[in-house]
Amino acid sequence: MSADTTPGTRSAVKKTAKKISLLITGSGGREHGLAFRVARSPLVDRVYVAPGNAGTALEPGVENVDIQPMDFDALLAFAREQQVGLTIIGPEMPLVAGVVDRFQAAGLACIGPLRLAARLEGSKSFAKHFLEKYHIPTAAYQVFTQPNEAIDYLQHQQYPVVIKADGLAAGKGVVIAADRAEAEGTVKAMLGGTLVGDAGSRIVIEEFLVGEEASFIVIADGVNYVPFASSQDHKAAFDGDRGPNTGGMGACSPAPVVTDAVHQRILDEIISPTLSGMRAEGHPYTGFLYAGLMIDAEGMPRVIEFNCRCGDPETQPLMSRMKSDLVQLCLAAVKGELANQTIEFDRRAALTVVIAAEGYPGNYDKGKMIEGLDDIIDETVKVFHAGTVVKKNSVKKSNMKKSSTEKSRVLTNGGRVLGVTALGDNVTDAQRKAYAAVQKLKFSGMRYRTDIGDRAVRRESLVENSVAIS
Ligand code: AMP
Ligand code: GLY
């Protein structure tokens, strides 16, 4: 996907505008997606990613910096030294720990919620109490810290039931228990500290919602917001939504389940009351707000969870489709000036297939050579990197084939390795292109789901058939 195929806004912005340096923290596919998009902004002259991955290292206009996202002192020192004009925080943990508070206190622009607003993700019980207080639709629930009380409660529940650790648990804090025995075992393991440590010292037990999931992300300035296009994640490890929960094995945008009517309901019944509720609580929400939603058969959206940052892998298709200047939007959000901003997405659909290392989300090997990155030449395809690293000390041999550019020195370095993303006329077309590109890639132990986007594709064919009939 070249800059030309995803028209940017270079020509739309005055040439005289002072350009800024920009810092992104994190090292996943989301951060590569964000870096790819902001590097195309006419407002930016340099993009740093701390610590980044091989994809950000090789991305034109982007440079990696060896600082971890939780090392706030080092990030602040770097931002001051390099006169960084905007920092975008990728992952949730630093947000929940108050990184934006630190940047703000230092007078540095940083997009994300303050610590107390980030509790929408950092504490499931905070989020559930908040949703209840402001009558925002969500699953019925109870909060527990005592195993006996939780086990009593389980006697009167319908199954399956959902058990969630209150705190951040890196995707391992949600268990859908099929029956009472499994639920009791999970409650004991979470509250006993053996499943997710301290994050499980308080738990939420909630009703299992039925429907189709969608992700809905907005950028907010505390009062106003601008919604992104809808998207859909695929969280289970294996085809047919089977296997353990992962960070996300693929995503597409738009999510056809989010029709225009559903979109409006999400804005009116979820996003607007959430932002006004957070204001009423004295914690106006600034930054990216991600609502994980369940849409039922009647098109009613309910909140499954909030995240206080962009989704991974949803960001990859979203950044591929975004035509507006993300930097302009972030700067407006930080200044509380989103009211007059608009946002535009490419009318085409985008789909990302995550390529993972065998064993993920459990144990997996690292350091496998990735082949085929140079063979993907379709301009509507972009391979975003996640767990990758450029091989150190690799010497370019003089007899190397011309096509052996730097990309051929990329090694695996994580569970989710790549996010192969394609733009297409609709999700069906984007899916075909993304999987064609996946065939060109190879590393030992490579695996991926083969059904990313199938739900969206089914909805598209239903619409096509009904148009044909009418
Ligand atoms: P979370 O980390 O809260 O997004 O949960 C991970 C996944 O568990 C979600 O993407 C859903 O697939 C599933 N899940 C969580 N809560 C519920 C619920 N109340 N009903 C049905 N599925 C749920
Ligand atoms: N894709 C799910 C998440 O970012 O939490």
Side-chain angles (χ1 to χ4, degrees):
M1 211 172 283
S2 72
D4 300 336
T5 58
T6 52
T9 40
R10 273 182 200 281
S11 55
V13 174
K14 285 186 214 135
K15 287 203 175 72
T16 51
K18 189 176 175 295
K19 295 191 176 207
I20 59 167
S21 296
L22 195 144
L23 172 64
I24 297 174
T25 70
S27 58
R30 166 183 50 216
E31 286 75 24
H32 189 188
L34 292 169
F36 163 81
R37 179 47 56 219
V38 298
R40 283 157 177 75
S41 165
L43 300 174
V44 167
D45 63 0
R46 253 161 197 249
V47 178
Y48 299 104
V49 187
N53 56 34
T56 52
L58 299 171
E59 188 69 44
V62 181
E63 202 177 305
N64 285 352
V65 191
D66 190 14
I67 305 175
Q68 292 304 312
M70 290 301 284
D71 190 348
F72 299 173
D73 290 337
L75 289 173
L76 279 167
F78 180 83
R80 277 201 204 96
E81 258 162 44
Q82 300 299 325
Q83 300 188 342
V84 167
L86 174 70
T87 299
I88 304 180
I89 306 297
E92 62 277 13
M93 206 178 280
L95 291 165
V96 170
V99 66
V100 179
D101 305 55
R102 291 284 309 275
F103 271 73
Q104 226 177 56
L108 294 166
C110 181
I111 180 86
L114 291 168
R115 185 176 67 85
L116 293 176
R119 283 180 299 169
L120 278 183
E121 175 166 5
S123 166
K124 300 254 189 218
S125 59
F126 173 85
K128 294 298 287 192
H129 289 316
F130 173 85
L131 289 163
E132 188 175 41
K133 181 168 174 187
Y134 292 96
H135 310 292
I136 300 166
T138 190
Y141 77 103
Q142 285 289 329
V143 178
F144 298 94
T145 53
Q146 301 303 322
N148 291 348
E149 289 170 17
I151 286 166
D152 280 350
Y153 179 76
L154 288 174
Q155 285 181 25
H156 314 290
Q157 297 313 300
Q158 297 203 325
Y159 289 86
V161 80
V162 185
I163 303 169
K164 299 184 175 181
D166 185 56
L168 293 182
K172 298 197 176 99
V174 176
V175 173
I176 297 173
D179 52 39
R180 212 165 107 194
E182 188 185 354
E184 288 190 9
T186 304
V187 161
K188 286 180 190 155
M190 273 196 193
L191 288 174
T194 55
L195 200 61
V196 287
D198 279 354
S201 59
R202 179 190 301 264
I203 59 170
V204 172
I205 302 183
E206 70 178 32
E207 165 201 12
F208 178 78
L209 296 174
V210 178
E212 184 171 336
E213 282 183 61
S215 306
F216 202 87
I217 301 170
V218 306
I219 181 168
D221 70 2
V223 179
N224 310 290
Y225 66 91
V226 177
F228 286 8
S230 63
S231 55
Q232 189 165 52
D233 189 11
H234 296 64
K235 284 216 172 111
F238 307 125
D239 284 5
D241 291 328
R242 278 191 272 272
N245 200 34
T246 71
M249 294 299 291
C252 63
S253 172
V257 66
V258 181
T259 58
D260 289 349
V262 173
H263 181 99
Q264 196 57 47
R265 289 191 70 168
I266 295 170
L267 300 186
D268 295 343
E269 296 168 29
I270 290 168
I271 304 297
S272 294
T274 298
L275 294 177
S276 59
M278 289 301 282
R279 252 187 354 265
E281 293 293 298
H283 304 298
Y285 192 98
T286 300
F288 301 106
L289 176 66
Y290 163 142
L293 303 171
M294 188 69 86
I295 319 287
D296 75 11
E298 277 74 50
M300 161 132 184
R302 288 184 178 81
V303 175
I304 295 179
E305 62 158 354
F306 283 123
N307 293 318
C308 60
R309 34 106 192 145
C310 287
D312 189 344
E314 292 94 325
T315 300
Q316 293 83 310
L318 284 169
M319 289 304 121
S320 303
R321 292 186 64 209
M322 187 179 277
K323 290 171 83 172
S324 307
D325 188 340
L326 180 62
V327 179
Q328 188 176 319
L329 286 168
C330 289
L331 290 171
V334 170
K335 290 188 211 137
E337 293 173 358
L338 270 182
N340 300 322
Q341 298 287 327
T342 54
I343 193 161
E344 193 187 350
F345 285 86
D346 196 306
R347 55 153 199 86
R348 290 173 294 177
L351 181 134
T352 298
V353 178
V354 168
I355 303 189
E358 194 172 356
Y360 173 79
N363 296 333
Y364 50 81
D365 287 338
K366 293 182 182 177
K368 306 292 180 195
M369 177 74 78
I370 303 172
E371 291 171 54
L373 287 167
D374 292 325
D375 300 332
I376 296 176
I377 43 177
D378 183 339
E379 289 228 314
T380 60
V381 174
K382 170 81 186 172
V383 180
F384 291 111
H385 290 225
T388 64
V389 64
V390 178
K391 190 176 176 198
K392 287 210 179 89
N393 307 323
S394 64
V395 183
K396 271 195 181 168
K397 295 197 183 102
S398 52
N399 62 353
M400 239 180 202
K401 284 200 310 238
K402 197 158 181 275
S403 68
S404 297
T405 62
E406 277 190 298
K407 285 188 191 166
S408 38
R409 300 184 290 133
V410 175
L411 305 180
T412 70
N413 193 41
R416 290 191 291 177
V417 177
L418 300 168
V420 181
T421 304
L423 280 168
D425 292 336
N426 50 20
V427 179
T428 310
D429 188 38
Q431 185 194 51
R432 184 183 56 73
K433 284 183 173 160
Y435 277 110
V438 167
Q439 303 314 312
K440 302 198 161 146
L441 297 167
K442 207 166 90 187
F443 61 84
S444 164
M446 151 174 169
R447 58 161 295 265
Y448 54 89
R449 275 179 63 159
T450 64
D451 62 350
I452 301 303
D454 273 5
R455 258 197 219 93
V457 166
R458 276 197 295 277
R459 282 190 185 269
E460 283 181 347
S461 74
L462 281 177
V463 171
E464 255 172 43
N465 288 341
S466 67
V467 169
I469 291 163
S470 60

